[in-house]
Amino acid sequence: MSRTVYLNGEWLDEADAKISIFDRGYTFADAIYEVTAIVGGKLIDYHGHAARLQRSLGELGIECPLNADELLAVHREIVARNNVVEGMIYLQISRGVDDRNFLISKDAKPTFSMFTQTKDVIENPYAKSGISVVSMPDWRWERRDIKTVQLLYPTMAKSQAAAKGADDAWLIEDGFVTEASSATAHIVKQDGTLVTRDLSHVILPGITRASTLDLARAAGIKVEERPFTLGEAKEAAEAFNTSATNFVLPVVRIDGQQIGDGTPGPITKKLRDIYVESRLATAL
Ligand code: PDD
């Protein structure tokens, strides 16, 4: 079924939405994006995603073409126009169309596009089975805190993981886990402490990460925000990823080594349950 998408102020059939070959998002990956989950036709963690969008734009000096009210309105309208019950909204803002020039000009007008994709977010079979990951070097640029569309390396890492029979890659830098190819990586130590990388330029400030850590602390789980090694991860009691469309996703194998008893651990399951419950209660 053909979707209705949003492009620069217009609602269009997906086949009619055209972007110039001169768009800097296309020639230089000069663009940022956000992915927001939809459950029950409502937006999950919307305010976090909207705030990070502004931050990414600010870091690159791109102006948001919509104000805060308009931004929420187009999110709501795209869900309604496509009758999406469960899935996600992908939003991208590029610097806009310009002659190919490494020097960034101030004149380009940002290109704003949005589309929806349906997906079983709650009844994700991997939430029950858990996923396997393999470690790979983190060869991305050093400003991973900006949610840019330069995703070639993460797509290569995920594809290489699949070729090795795994579901995802955990990326490693100087012996420490940075994050998964498109999710935040976490472990739970044998004493029940949740360990997750502290925020810096080397990881994306995950919106699901922030909510999950708040919920964990409120549930009395001890949280340590610090780098952890691949070795520490392999010795952990539990491991999991967080991201907008997978929520809290158990990791049960790292480089072929079973984590815990090889099934989703109790703290991971509890965090997924309370994440889902609390996000449904606050969905917009
Ligand atoms: N990816 N780290 C990276 C590198 C990511 O690409 C993502 C999200 C996250 C988790 O962030 P959040 O919880 O805000 O979704 C961490 C999105 C979902 C994607 O590219 O599809």
Side-chain angles (χ1 to χ4, degrees):
M1 220 187 64
S2 188
R3 285 166 288 193
T4 299
V5 303
Y6 182 81
L7 177 60
N8 294 332
E10 287 189 280
W11 295 102
L12 300 165
D13 183 88
E14 64 181 65
D16 299 326
K18 304 277 194 317
I19 293 174
S20 166
I21 62 165
F22 298 106
D23 195 284
R24 287 181 59 95
Y26 182 63
T27 50
F28 291 110
D30 188 354
I32 60 92
Y33 76 107
E34 274 299 328
V35 171
T36 306
I38 304 162
V39 178
K42 290 187 169 176
L43 308 165
I44 302 296
D45 265 340
Y46 174 78
H47 291 301
H49 290 285
R52 187 177 59 192
L53 174 76
Q54 296 301 343
R55 180 183 182 277
S56 297
L57 289 170
E59 291 300 306
L60 298 187
I62 299 176
E63 196 87 26
C64 187
L66 302 183
N67 68 31
D69 292 342
E70 291 165 340
L71 193 64
L72 176 57
V74 291
H75 275 78
R76 287 208 158 119
E77 189 164 350
I78 203 164
V79 174
R81 281 182 182 256
N82 292 284
N83 293 314
V84 186
V85 178
E86 221 171 287
M88 60 105 153
I89 295 175
Y90 177 88
L91 176 169
Q92 181 172 323
I93 303 174
S94 80
R95 197 175 304 273
V97 175
D98 199 3
D99 261 352
R100 187 171 183 277
N101 188 350
F102 280 78
L103 185 67
I104 294 170
S105 113
K106 301 262 174 293
D107 304 332
K109 198 165 144 276
T111 301
F112 186 115
S113 59
M114 262 176 133
F115 61 82
T116 55
Q117 237 166 254
T118 54
K119 177 182 174 178
D120 288 336
V121 178
I122 304 280
E123 291 308 319
N124 179 348
Y126 289 110
K128 294 208 172 64
S129 62
I131 63 163
S132 60
V133 302
V134 285
S135 59
M136 274 179 214
D138 195 337
W139 284 341
R140 299 173 299 162
W141 79 327
E142 293 187 7
R143 288 304 306 275
R144 302 158 196 155
D145 57 311
I146 311 172
K147 199 163 170 66
T148 76
V149 302
Q150 332 174 30
L151 296 175
L152 180 58
Y153 185 66
T155 67
M156 290 170 71
K158 195 163 262 181
S159 303
Q160 281 171 29
K164 291 181 180 173
D167 301 302
D168 200 359
W170 270 19
L171 305 176
I172 312 296
E173 191 169 58
D174 301 329
F176 293 99
V177 176
T178 52
E179 50 191 339
S181 67
S182 61
T184 311
H186 313 258
I187 58 171
V188 178
K189 292 199 298 188
Q190 298 295 342
D191 70 359
T193 305
L194 195 170
V195 183
T196 197
R197 183 103 189 194
D198 49 316
L199 294 182
S200 69
H201 286 178
V202 310
I203 65 164
L204 186 77
I207 303 307
T208 322
R209 171 193 184 280
S211 301
T212 305
L213 295 190
D214 285 349
L215 293 166
R217 289 188 175 107
I221 296 166
K222 193 175 159 217
V223 176
E224 283 176 13
E225 294 185 62
R226 60 162 174 84
F228 56 93
T229 63
L230 181 60
E232 195 177 3
K234 289 180 181 173
E235 295 306 315
E238 303 181 32
F240 63 93
N241 283 350
T242 55
S243 68
T245 55
N246 285 314
F247 296 170
V248 176
L249 193 67
V251 170
V252 294
R253 221 165 252 282
I254 302 175
D255 289 338
Q257 191 168 318
Q258 188 172 295
I259 305 302
D261 67 1
T263 64
I267 292 179
T268 305
K269 284 202 277 197
K270 179 175 174 175
L271 286 173
R272 183 177 176 89
D273 288 347
I274 55 179
Y275 181 83
V276 170
E277 192 189 328
S278 70
R279 294 311 99 173
L280 291 185
T282 55
L284 280 183

Short mmCIF file of all heavy atoms in Angstrom, two decimals, residues 33-35 49 52 140 147 151 179-184 204-209 242-245, ligand 1:
data_model
loop_
_atom_site.label_atom_id
_atom_site.label_comp_id
_atom_site.label_asym_id
_atom_site.label_seq_id
_atom_site.Cartn_x
_atom_site.Cartn_y
_atom_site.Cartn_z
N TYR A 33 18.69 12.93 11.41
CA TYR A 33 17.41 12.22 11.38
C TYR A 33 16.96 11.88 12.79
O TYR A 33 17.73 12.00 13.75
CB TYR A 33 17.52 10.95 10.52
CG TYR A 33 18.23 9.77 11.14
CD1 TYR A 33 17.54 8.65 11.59
CD2 TYR A 33 19.62 9.78 11.30
CE1 TYR A 33 18.19 7.56 12.17
CE2 TYR A 33 20.27 8.69 11.88
CZ TYR A 33 19.56 7.59 12.30
OH TYR A 33 20.21 6.52 12.88
N GLU A 34 15.71 11.45 12.88
CA GLU A 34 15.15 10.92 14.12
C GLU A 34 14.23 9.77 13.78
O GLU A 34 13.62 9.76 12.71
CB GLU A 34 14.33 11.99 14.88
CG GLU A 34 15.11 12.88 15.80
CD GLU A 34 15.85 12.16 16.93
OE1 GLU A 34 15.37 11.11 17.42
OE2 GLU A 34 16.93 12.63 17.30
N VAL A 35 14.14 8.83 14.67
CA VAL A 35 13.20 7.71 14.53
C VAL A 35 12.37 7.68 15.82
O VAL A 35 12.93 7.60 16.91
CB VAL A 35 13.94 6.37 14.36
CG1 VAL A 35 12.97 5.20 14.43
CG2 VAL A 35 14.70 6.35 13.04
N HIS A 49 12.80 12.81 21.62
CA HIS A 49 13.24 12.82 20.22
C HIS A 49 13.25 14.24 19.65
O HIS A 49 14.16 14.63 18.91
CB HIS A 49 12.37 11.88 19.38
CG HIS A 49 12.61 10.44 19.70
ND1 HIS A 49 13.73 9.76 19.28
CD2 HIS A 49 11.91 9.57 20.46
CE1 HIS A 49 13.71 8.53 19.76
NE2 HIS A 49 12.62 8.38 20.48
N ARG A 52 16.31 16.03 21.02
CA ARG A 52 17.57 15.60 20.39
C ARG A 52 17.67 16.10 18.95
O ARG A 52 18.77 16.41 18.47
CB ARG A 52 17.72 14.09 20.47
CG ARG A 52 19.11 13.63 19.98
CD ARG A 52 19.32 12.16 20.12
NE ARG A 52 18.34 11.41 19.38
CZ ARG A 52 18.13 10.10 19.49
NH1 ARG A 52 18.86 9.40 20.34
NH2 ARG A 52 17.20 9.49 18.78
N ARG A 140 33.43 4.34 13.06
CA ARG A 140 32.65 5.53 12.71
C ARG A 140 33.43 6.81 13.04
O ARG A 140 34.46 6.76 13.71
CB ARG A 140 31.33 5.52 13.48
CG ARG A 140 30.46 4.31 13.15
CD ARG A 140 29.25 4.23 14.05
NE ARG A 140 29.64 4.10 15.44
CZ ARG A 140 28.85 4.35 16.48
NH1 ARG A 140 27.61 4.75 16.27
NH2 ARG A 140 29.28 4.20 17.71
N LYS A 147 23.04 12.82 15.53
CA LYS A 147 22.34 11.73 14.82
C LYS A 147 22.32 12.03 13.32
O LYS A 147 21.30 12.41 12.75
CB LYS A 147 20.93 11.57 15.40
CG LYS A 147 20.29 10.22 15.08
CD LYS A 147 19.11 9.96 15.98
CE LYS A 147 18.28 8.77 15.58
NZ LYS A 147 18.96 7.48 15.68
N LEU A 151 25.43 6.58 7.80
CA LEU A 151 25.22 5.28 8.45
C LEU A 151 25.82 4.14 7.66
O LEU A 151 25.45 2.98 7.85
CB LEU A 151 23.71 5.05 8.65
CG LEU A 151 23.04 6.05 9.61
CD1 LEU A 151 21.54 5.83 9.65
CD2 LEU A 151 23.63 5.95 11.01
N GLU A 179 28.74 1.18 21.38
CA GLU A 179 27.30 0.90 21.31
C GLU A 179 27.06 -0.17 20.26
O GLU A 179 28.00 -0.70 19.67
CB GLU A 179 26.49 2.17 21.04
CG GLU A 179 26.98 2.99 19.89
CD GLU A 179 26.33 4.38 19.81
OE1 GLU A 179 25.25 4.60 20.38
OE2 GLU A 179 26.92 5.24 19.14
N ALA A 180 25.80 -0.51 20.04
CA ALA A 180 25.45 -1.47 18.98
C ALA A 180 25.36 -0.70 17.67
O ALA A 180 25.48 0.52 17.64
CB ALA A 180 24.13 -2.14 19.32
N SER A 181 25.15 -1.42 16.55
CA SER A 181 25.18 -0.73 15.26
C SER A 181 24.11 0.36 15.18
O SER A 181 24.35 1.40 14.58
CB SER A 181 25.02 -1.73 14.11
OG SER A 181 23.74 -2.30 14.12
N SER A 182 22.94 0.12 15.79
CA SER A 182 21.92 1.17 15.79
C SER A 182 21.12 1.13 17.09
O SER A 182 19.90 1.27 17.09
CB SER A 182 20.99 1.03 14.58
OG SER A 182 20.32 -0.22 14.62
N ALA A 183 21.82 0.96 18.18
CA ALA A 183 21.17 0.89 19.50
C ALA A 183 22.23 1.14 20.58
O ALA A 183 23.43 1.03 20.31
CB ALA A 183 20.53 -0.48 19.71
N THR A 184 21.78 1.46 21.79
CA THR A 184 22.68 1.60 22.92
C THR A 184 22.90 0.22 23.54
O THR A 184 21.96 -0.57 23.63
CB THR A 184 22.05 2.53 23.99
OG1 THR A 184 21.58 3.72 23.35
CG2 THR A 184 23.04 2.89 25.07
N LEU A 204 25.72 7.90 20.73
CA LEU A 204 24.50 8.70 20.58
C LEU A 204 23.80 8.76 21.94
O LEU A 204 23.68 7.73 22.61
CB LEU A 204 23.58 8.02 19.56
CG LEU A 204 22.33 8.83 19.21
CD1 LEU A 204 22.68 9.96 18.26
CD2 LEU A 204 21.27 7.93 18.59
N PRO A 205 23.33 9.95 22.34
CA PRO A 205 22.55 10.00 23.59
C PRO A 205 21.17 9.40 23.34
O PRO A 205 20.23 10.10 22.92
CB PRO A 205 22.49 11.50 23.92
CG PRO A 205 22.70 12.20 22.61
CD PRO A 205 23.49 11.28 21.72
N GLY A 206 21.04 8.11 23.53
CA GLY A 206 19.80 7.39 23.21
C GLY A 206 18.64 7.90 24.06
O GLY A 206 18.77 8.07 25.28
N ILE A 207 17.52 8.12 23.42
CA ILE A 207 16.32 8.56 24.14
C ILE A 207 15.77 7.39 24.95
O ILE A 207 15.35 7.56 26.10
CB ILE A 207 15.27 9.10 23.14
CG1 ILE A 207 15.88 10.25 22.30
CG2 ILE A 207 14.01 9.54 23.86
CD1 ILE A 207 16.51 11.37 23.10
N THR A 208 15.82 6.20 24.38
CA THR A 208 15.36 5.01 25.11
C THR A 208 16.30 4.72 26.27
O THR A 208 15.87 4.28 27.34
CB THR A 208 15.29 3.81 24.15
OG1 THR A 208 14.83 4.27 22.88
CG2 THR A 208 14.35 2.73 24.67
N ARG A 209 17.59 4.96 26.06
CA ARG A 209 18.58 4.81 27.13
C ARG A 209 18.19 5.68 28.31
O ARG A 209 18.15 5.22 29.45
CB ARG A 209 19.97 5.23 26.59
CG ARG A 209 21.08 5.34 27.63
CD ARG A 209 22.29 6.07 27.01
NE ARG A 209 23.43 6.13 27.93
CZ ARG A 209 23.54 7.02 28.91
NH1 ARG A 209 22.59 7.93 29.13
NH2 ARG A 209 24.61 7.00 29.70
N THR A 242 19.08 -0.93 23.81
CA THR A 242 17.87 -0.09 23.80
C THR A 242 17.87 0.76 22.54
O THR A 242 18.92 1.23 22.10
CB THR A 242 17.79 0.85 25.03
OG1 THR A 242 18.97 1.65 25.11
CG2 THR A 242 17.59 0.10 26.32
N SER A 243 16.68 0.91 21.96
CA SER A 243 16.51 1.83 20.83
C SER A 243 15.03 2.10 20.65
O SER A 243 14.18 1.38 21.19
CB SER A 243 17.09 1.23 19.54
OG SER A 243 16.33 0.12 19.14
N ALA A 244 14.76 3.14 19.85
CA ALA A 244 13.38 3.64 19.72
C ALA A 244 12.40 2.57 19.25
O ALA A 244 11.27 2.52 19.75
CB ALA A 244 13.35 4.82 18.75
N THR A 245 12.79 1.73 18.30
CA THR A 245 11.80 0.79 17.77
C THR A 245 11.94 -0.62 18.35
O THR A 245 11.08 -1.46 18.12
CB THR A 245 11.88 0.70 16.23
OG1 THR A 245 13.21 0.39 15.88
CG2 THR A 245 11.43 1.99 15.59
N1 PDD B 1 18.91 4.12 16.01
N2 PDD B 1 22.96 4.37 19.06
C1 PDD B 1 22.86 4.41 17.73
C2 PDD B 1 24.11 4.38 16.93
C3 PDD B 1 21.60 4.46 17.11
O1 PDD B 1 21.52 4.51 15.76
C4 PDD B 1 20.44 4.45 17.91
C5 PDD B 1 19.06 4.51 17.34
C6 PDD B 1 20.59 4.40 19.30
C7 PDD B 1 19.41 4.42 20.24
O2 PDD B 1 18.84 5.71 20.30
P1 PDD B 1 17.28 5.87 20.61
O3 PDD B 1 17.02 5.14 21.87
O4 PDD B 1 17.11 7.32 20.76
O5 PDD B 1 16.54 5.27 19.43
C8 PDD B 1 21.87 4.37 19.85
C9 PDD B 1 17.64 4.33 15.37
C10 PDD B 1 16.49 3.66 16.04
C11 PDD B 1 17.76 3.98 13.90
O6 PDD B 1 18.74 4.41 13.33
O7 PDD B 1 16.86 3.35 13.33
#
